[in-house]
Amino acid sequence: MKYFLLTAMCLFYIVAYSQFGPQQIITQTANGSKWIIATDIDGDGYKDVASANEFGSNLTWYKNLDGHGTFGPENIIANLNQTFFISDADIDGDDDMDVMAVSFAQDKIVWYENLDGQGNFSGQNIVSHTADGAYAVVAGDLDGDGDLDLIAAIDLAGTVAWYENLDGLGNFSTIKIIDNTIGSPQFVSVADMDGDGDLDVVGNGTGTSKAYWIENMNGIGSFGTRHVINNAGAYLNVVIPADADGDGDMDAFSASPFDKEVAWYENLDGLGNFGPKSTITDTLENAWTVFAADLDNDGDMDVLATSVETFGGEIVWFENLDGQGNFSSKKIISTEVQSPRSVLAADIDNDGDMDVIASSQNDDKIAWYENYTILSVEENKINSLTVYPNPTKGLIYINPKTKTIISIGVFDLLGKKVLQLEGNIQRIDISTLQSGMYFLRIVTEVGDFVHKIIKE
């Protein structure tokens, strides 16, 4: 009884609590999945999932059927040869999500038009067929003209380059070299690293440029010197920009499989001068990729990562304990994976928190993990809604006053969702639940409210 009361008090005063649910499989036929994205492909307001697969049907997407994470069958976007990367953007300015990808074997950078905004894609639009070992491609407005250009990491050529969107419709220029002296670039991203209002380029490589950024000098795509973020240790698979310490500028995160390391680097002055490496962990076996997101709804950036083994691996996260970049030890989300190569966060079930989606190459699996987050119990006082009787033997009545209820979730003390109801519900039957303390998360048109309930 003492343990129950202590646990209850801790949960009552906590502002945010995060725990991830069991694996929910989207597909087990993503043949050698290398990279995934979560985006609204069909314009229904729900996050769908798309994958770049090394083999078979190379580019595929899966429809989020109900906005709660029930996914439909595989939809084929296209077939490529050895595609390692997929990304999304509105390339042609028609307000839907198109898809970009690369073919390492064919030296291609391509994009596919979302023809109707519902996920029916065009044939291959070739941006380049001479990108020697094309490895990654992303979109960003490098020249400030309001449309999205493409930025690519070209591994075998040792080049990071961009292609100008000439007319805003997806007709691209020939290659514009940003830097062709980088060893084996296999990842690229864009962000404003120096606070001047334009997009710079962030990437990885070998030699003294394991992590770097390259300045957009004039906001129209003229690039300057490569600035080193990190020049020590082994190769970094992924380098991503994000604000680790809450000071409003872009820091950088990295994952290194050979060093078993996930780390971050502080942007000291907001101008792109970086401090030394801050190690989050150096014991994550084959740390493959990294992703930053607020996973516990406390307003700062936490970190997702994967550990890769041939017939195993882990999907893990690290909590940003103070919002200043001091991170917890690893928290395991799942070990039911074989060589997880890609992980990200997105609100799959539309409940206001960030769920986790991951793909694993050697079991051809894509799955998602629900984020069970109980928000701000202390902030949501009982006068916001009337909930009675409390305690209850089974029936709970809710008077929303002037609010319209959208959905109600019932969570146990461990944060596990035990009941979900949709619509303007004003009566709940929890008679089948065991006796104890529960929390109601009531989603209304004006916000979320959390109430403690005792089931007798």
Side-chain angles (χ1 to χ4, degrees):
M1 183 65 179
K2 289 181 179 178
Y3 175 79
F4 174 82
L5 291 174
L6 178 61
T7 304
M9 289 179 67
C10 289
L11 278 175
F12 184 74
Y13 286 106
I14 200 165
V15 173
Y17 173 84
S18 180
Q19 175 176 314
F20 291 93
Q23 184 178 91
Q24 301 187 57
I25 294 174
I26 297 173
T27 183
Q28 291 180 289
T29 60
N31 199 351
S33 178
K34 290 284 193 180
W35 198 260
I36 56 171
I37 56 173
T39 188
D40 183 8
I41 289 177
D42 56 356
D44 61 359
Y46 306 146
K47 294 291 186 184
D48 310 302
V49 172
S51 178
N53 311 314
E54 186 173 1
F55 311 109
S57 300
N58 291 94
L59 299 176
T60 55
W61 76 277
Y62 307 85
K63 177 178 172 61
N64 189 340
L65 296 171
D66 54 6
H68 297 300
T70 302
F71 284 86
E74 173 185 280
N75 298 289
I76 297 175
I77 299 172
N79 290 287
L80 281 172
N81 188 353
Q82 282 191 290
T83 181
F84 299 152
F85 200 87
I86 185 172
S87 57
D88 66 291
D90 182 8
I91 293 298
D92 53 359
D94 62 356
D95 296 323
D96 56 38
M97 286 295 105
D98 308 303
V99 165
M100 301 89 71
V102 295
S103 170
F104 180 83
Q106 296 176 322
D107 301 330
K108 281 184 179 179
I109 301 168
V110 298
W111 75 280
Y112 301 89
E113 182 184 354
N114 192 338
L115 294 170
D116 54 5
Q118 297 179 26
N120 293 301
F121 286 90
S122 72
Q124 188 178 103
N125 295 296
I126 298 176
V127 179
S128 175
H129 56 77
T130 59
D132 190 11
Y135 217 95
V137 61
V138 296
D141 184 5
L142 294 187
D143 53 2
D145 62 355
D147 56 38
L148 294 177
D149 311 301
L150 296 185
I151 307 95
I154 306 171
D155 180 18
L156 301 181
T159 297
V160 172
W162 73 287
Y163 303 83
E164 183 184 353
N165 192 338
L166 296 171
D167 54 6
L169 301 175
N171 294 300
F172 288 91
S173 72
T174 56
I175 189 170
K176 298 189 176 190
I177 302 294
I178 296 174
D179 193 317
N180 61 0
T181 63
I182 302 168
S184 195
Q186 294 184 355
F187 189 83
V188 68
S189 184
V190 291
D192 183 4
M193 303 303 289
D194 53 0
D196 63 355
D198 57 37
L199 290 179
D200 308 301
V201 170
V202 181
N204 70 340
T206 58
T208 59
S209 296
K210 299 205 168 42
Y212 58 84
W213 72 279
I214 306 172
E215 184 179 354
N216 191 339
M217 301 297 294
N218 54 8
I220 59 174
S222 297
F223 285 88
T225 304
R226 185 169 73 231
H227 300 270
V228 174
I229 297 172
N230 176 61
N231 62 1
Y235 189 81
L236 306 176
N237 266 4
V238 173
V239 179
I240 61 167
D243 185 4
D245 53 2
D247 62 357
D249 56 39
M250 287 292 104
D251 309 304
F253 290 89
S254 67
S256 173
F258 298 110
D259 287 335
K260 305 179 182 180
E261 192 171 73
V262 177
W264 75 280
Y265 313 84
E266 183 182 358
N267 190 337
L268 296 172
D269 53 7
L271 301 175
N273 294 302
F274 281 83
K277 176 173 63 180
S278 298
T279 300
I280 298 172
T281 183
D282 58 5
T283 61
L284 189 64
E285 194 71 30
N286 290 318
W288 199 263
T289 192
V290 64
F291 189 91
D294 183 5
L295 298 176
D296 52 4
N297 279 14
D298 62 354
D300 55 40
M301 288 291 105
D302 308 301
V303 171
L304 281 165
T306 66
S307 166
V308 166
E309 299 174 25
T310 302
F311 299 108
E314 294 178 323
I315 301 164
V316 302
W317 74 286
F318 303 87
E319 182 185 356
N320 194 335
L321 297 170
D322 55 4
Q324 298 178 27
N326 292 302
F327 288 88
S328 71
S329 57
K330 79 175 180 182
K331 303 183 181 189
I332 296 175
I333 297 172
S334 180
T335 58
E336 297 180 89
V337 288
Q338 294 181 20
S339 191
R341 298 295 177 117
S342 183
V343 66
L344 56 85
D347 187 4
I348 292 296
D349 53 2
N350 288 283
D351 63 354
D353 54 36
M354 299 296 276
D355 307 302
V356 170
I357 312 98
S359 68
S360 39
Q361 172 185 282
N362 291 357
D363 56 6
D364 302 328
K365 185 191 298 181
I366 303 172
W368 74 282
Y369 307 84
E370 183 176 356
N371 190 342
Y372 297 139
T373 301
I374 298 174
L375 293 175
S376 304
V377 177
E378 182 62 15
E379 294 176 0
N380 292 306
K381 293 295 185 180
I382 202 72
N383 59 8
S384 299
L385 293 163
T386 302
V387 179
Y388 62 95
N390 190 15
T392 179
K393 295 184 182 299
L395 290 178
I396 301 170
Y397 296 89
I398 302 168
N399 180 0
K401 299 181 180 178
T402 60
K403 305 172 181 66
T404 299
I405 294 173
I406 298 172
S407 66
I408 299 174
V410 182
F411 297 82
D412 66 15
L413 280 174
L414 296 178
K416 180 180 180 181
K417 187 187 293 183
V418 295
L419 185 64
Q420 177 72 29
L421 300 169
E422 303 295 326
N424 193 21
I425 307 297
Q426 298 186 25
R427 190 183 83 160
I428 306 174
D429 185 356
I430 62 169
S431 59
T432 59
L433 299 181
Q434 295 181 354
S435 298
M437 180 182 292
Y438 295 88
F439 292 93
L440 305 184
R441 182 178 182 179
I442 304 170
V443 180
T444 78
E445 60 186 348
V446 297
D448 295 8
F449 301 88
V450 179
H451 292 270
K452 180 180 68 175
I453 288 292
I454 303 296
K455 164 70 188 319
E456 293 181 332

